[in-house]
Amino acid sequence: MGNDNGSQFHQGTFTWEAEVKPRGPSARAELPIAKPAPERPMFGETLMEAICERKNMRAALPQVRANRGSPGIDHMSVAELPDFLTSHWPAIKEQLLAGAYHPKPVKRVEIPKPGSLEKRQLGIPCVLDRLIQQAVLQVLQPHWDPTFSDSSYGFRPGRSAHQAIAQAQAYLQQGYEYVVDIDLEKFFDRVCHDRLMSKLAERIADKRVLKLIRAYLRAGILEHGLVTVPTEGTPQGGPLSPFLSNVVLDELDKELERRGHRFVRYADDSNIYVKSERAGLRVMESVSHFLTQRLKLRVNQAKSAVAKPQQRTFLGFTFTGGKSPNRRKIAPKAVARFKAKVRELTRRTWGIRLEERIQRLSRYLNGWREYYGYGETPAVLRDLDSWIRRRLRCVQWKQWKVYKRRKTELMRRGVAEALATTTAWSAKGPWRACHTAGVQIALPSAYFDALGLPRLASRPNM
């Protein structure tokens, strides 16, 4: 950045776009082609200068702001970062260029895994370290990403989970009827530092950058007041971690391409598609041996399997069988998690106005539909729409409480007096009562539409 000072971080909004052309939805099923590794380092000995360059750092700041996140062990929030940089950036930059910068330990937090009693461990770096990691990522990824496998979809510009699912579907339609579903046990905690650094050193000549990345890998972890230094793993939570995971697993991708396999990988979820169970068992054994012996990773035997794709889940989806095979279908576990969340947002003991409840519920439904609307079984979404509205009718029915109020509300909403009387006097519980004609006339689907409740089965943007 030359002689500029930290005031550059105060003004303006900046964006960064990778120098990689976005790839369209991948629906092809041809054999992946292995890409040759570069013969010389991709990045020279002035890589750290490129990372610290003004334009790159100014682009990194809004990315860190957009990702938000909790403060690290220094309690500094994202909002406080610009003021901190105004005073301290020149000294920090000097440390980075001298190869003397030391990251702070990360804060360990645990979050529940969806559909499991297990906890996922995350490491929250300080916001300054998140900024530096983002700056490193912005320089490495645009040049490194094109060398990754075309069958890898996770944490890459212009690629998505939907594209990975489409590629898996294409393999099924081509006749690859079995999937080798490999689950890596605590992948992010098992990455071998030496192997990862060796891979990075093949393309990075600047030893200051290598030293910085190793420092991030070995940054202490603060948990229960004690700091431990990891000897393996890439802590989840920092901007650089997903990229490093792709560097590690690219070796697996290249091996699968060398063997001629059809496969799809998204982060640490790897599915290999074969034409028979016998072939699948053979592939499972050989690939598991490669992962454990070469990459020093562990295969979770309990969660890995060779099976029909209809019996497995990939990125929240599975596939149909029967007369209409190989259509994208929302996985049962994903539906169960969805219902649990909706039950929480529509619980009858929650004393808030129906309009406010629907506003909160709508935010969740829109996000869920954005992802799971990619399914090809609309009947599932229609059933969920009906179920949600029935739950909301129960909420309203309970809020009306007594017979006189219920009858009045029913009649006010167009229900004939005789039907309103019968419905209001009903001894049925809320769930059964809300399936009767009187309540459905008073609270039709159009009523909830008018309150802004989205329909899952309606996909205007897809």
Side-chain angles (χ1 to χ4, degrees):
M1 279 186 209
N3 295 323
D4 53 80
N5 58 35
S7 62
Q8 63 194 285
F9 290 96
H10 267 300
Q11 302 295 329
T13 300
F14 305 93
T15 59
W16 165 74
E17 296 180 0
E19 298 173 9
V20 182
K21 294 182 179 179
R23 304 166 175 87
S26 175
R28 65 193 184 287
E30 66 268 15
L31 193 66
I33 300 175
K35 299 178 182 178
E39 296 181 357
R40 59 182 180 179
M42 186 181 296
F43 303 97
E45 296 183 356
T46 59
L47 178 58
M48 186 63 82
E49 279 74 12
I51 291 170
C52 293
E53 195 269 336
R54 173 191 297 183
K55 183 178 179 181
N56 186 53
M57 295 303 302
R58 294 180 75 179
L61 183 58
Q63 291 292 328
V64 173
R65 280 174 164 168
N67 292 335
R68 299 181 182 177
S70 303
I73 65 169
D74 61 356
H75 307 294
M76 185 192 301
S77 68
V78 174
E80 296 172 302
L81 182 58
D83 286 336
F84 175 83
L85 292 170
T86 300
S87 303
H88 297 87
W89 173 246
I92 295 167
K93 177 182 176 182
E94 185 177 342
Q95 292 176 32
L96 288 168
L97 294 177
Y101 179 81
H102 297 286
K104 289 184 173 64
V106 300
K107 181 170 66 175
R108 172 77 82 196
V109 295
E110 293 185 341
I111 61 173
K113 287 187 176 181
S116 172
L117 296 177
E118 297 180 25
K119 299 283 188 178
R120 176 178 284 116
Q121 293 186 332
L122 299 181
I124 301 180
C126 298
V127 290
L128 174 61
D129 288 319
R130 299 209 291 269
L131 175 73
I132 296 171
Q133 286 192 39
Q134 179 66 34
V136 174
L137 175 67
Q138 290 173 176
V139 174
L140 296 183
Q141 189 168 50
H143 300 283
W144 209 304
D145 189 83
T147 69
F148 287 147
S149 168
D150 284 339
S151 295
S152 164
Y153 293 87
F155 310 124
R156 298 182 60 188
R159 299 206 145 205
S160 69
H162 287 172
Q163 292 175 354
I165 296 162
Q167 179 66 84
Q169 186 179 27
Y171 287 140
L172 302 186
Q173 293 169 343
Q174 196 182 10
Y176 292 85
E177 299 180 352
Y178 284 84
V179 60
V180 182
D181 186 353
I182 299 177
D183 184 272
L184 295 176
E185 184 177 332
K186 296 183 178 180
F187 165 72
F188 285 92
D189 297 331
R190 306 291 187 196
V191 171
C192 175
H193 289 178
D194 289 339
R195 285 198 61 80
L196 172 56
M197 293 308 303
S198 175
K199 285 294 175 185
L200 294 173
E202 289 176 3
R203 303 188 186 184
I204 298 175
D206 193 329
K207 302 209 179 302
R208 296 169 298 176
V209 176
L210 294 172
K211 182 180 178 182
L212 177 65
I213 295 175
R214 184 177 280 277
Y216 277 122
L217 292 174
R218 292 184 56 81
I221 298 173
L222 179 63
E223 187 175 21
H224 305 306
L226 298 175
V227 175
T228 58
V229 177
T231 57
E232 60 181 5
T234 59
Q236 297 182 73
L240 199 54
S241 182
F243 169 77
L244 295 179
S245 72
N246 274 334
V247 172
V248 172
L249 290 175
D250 186 58
E251 191 170 352
L252 169 64
D253 297 342
K254 295 299 192 290
E255 178 65 17
L256 295 178
E257 289 173 348
R258 188 186 67 79
R259 297 182 185 187
H261 289 310
R262 276 80 174 170
F263 71 97
V264 180
R265 183 177 66 79
Y266 191 95
D268 58 335
D269 289 333
S270 299
N271 281 0
I272 307 168
Y273 295 87
V274 295
K275 291 192 172 182
S276 70
E277 184 177 16
R278 183 178 179 182
L281 293 172
R282 186 170 61 249
V283 170
M284 173 68 82
E285 182 179 1
S286 62
V287 173
S288 296
H289 184 269
F290 176 85
L291 287 166
T292 55
Q293 299 301 313
R294 180 76 69 84
L295 300 189
K296 309 302 179 185
L297 299 172
R298 295 185 187 178
V299 176
N300 189 327
Q301 301 295 340
K303 294 183 178 180
S304 301
V306 176
K308 291 277 190 178
Q310 295 80 8
Q311 300 168 348
R312 306 298 292 177
T313 297
F314 182 52
L315 301 177
F317 287 87
T318 185
F319 297 94
T320 60
K323 296 181 180 179
S324 301
N326 302 330
R327 296 169 64 195
R328 300 185 296 270
K329 177 183 174 182
I330 304 171
K333 285 185 177 180
V335 174
R337 290 195 298 269
F338 170 80
K339 285 190 168 185
K341 181 63 175 179
V342 171
R343 286 190 185 99
E344 178 187 335
L345 293 171
T346 58
R347 62 186 185 274
R348 298 170 211 163
T349 57
W350 194 10
I352 64 172
R353 294 171 58 248
L354 184 63
E355 291 79 5
E356 183 180 350
R357 186 190 298 267
I358 287 177
Q359 189 178 43
R360 298 187 187 188
L361 179 61
S362 296
R363 287 195 290 268
Y364 175 69
L365 296 182
N366 283 325
W368 194 87
R369 183 181 62 179
E370 185 74 19
Y371 184 76
Y372 287 102
Y374 189 60
E376 296 177 313
T377 53
V380 175
L381 299 179
R382 289 195 294 269
D383 289 345
L384 289 174
D385 278 332
S386 177
W387 176 78
I388 292 166
R389 280 151 181 78
R390 189 172 176 181
R391 286 195 63 84
L392 290 172
R393 291 186 185 105
C394 289
V395 170
Q396 187 68 84
W397 187 249
K398 182 159 193 215
Q399 288 180 348
W400 289 342
K401 293 184 179 180
V402 296
Y403 159 74
K404 185 176 180 180
R405 172 80 184 278
R406 286 174 175 174
K407 180 180 177 181
T408 301
E409 292 288 351
L410 290 172
M411 293 179 62
R412 187 170 69 84
R413 296 163 189 266
V415 180
E417 183 175 0
L419 181 56
T421 301
T422 303
T423 305
W425 273 112
S426 174
K428 295 177 180 178
W431 185 250
R432 293 181 60 200
C434 290
H435 199 52
T436 60
V439 176
Q440 293 196 34
I441 291 171
L443 301 171
S445 294
Y447 169 73
F448 297 108
D449 292 342
L451 291 177
L453 186 71
R455 294 186 183 227
L456 299 176
S458 174
R459 300 184 297 167
N461 297 323
M462 311 245 348

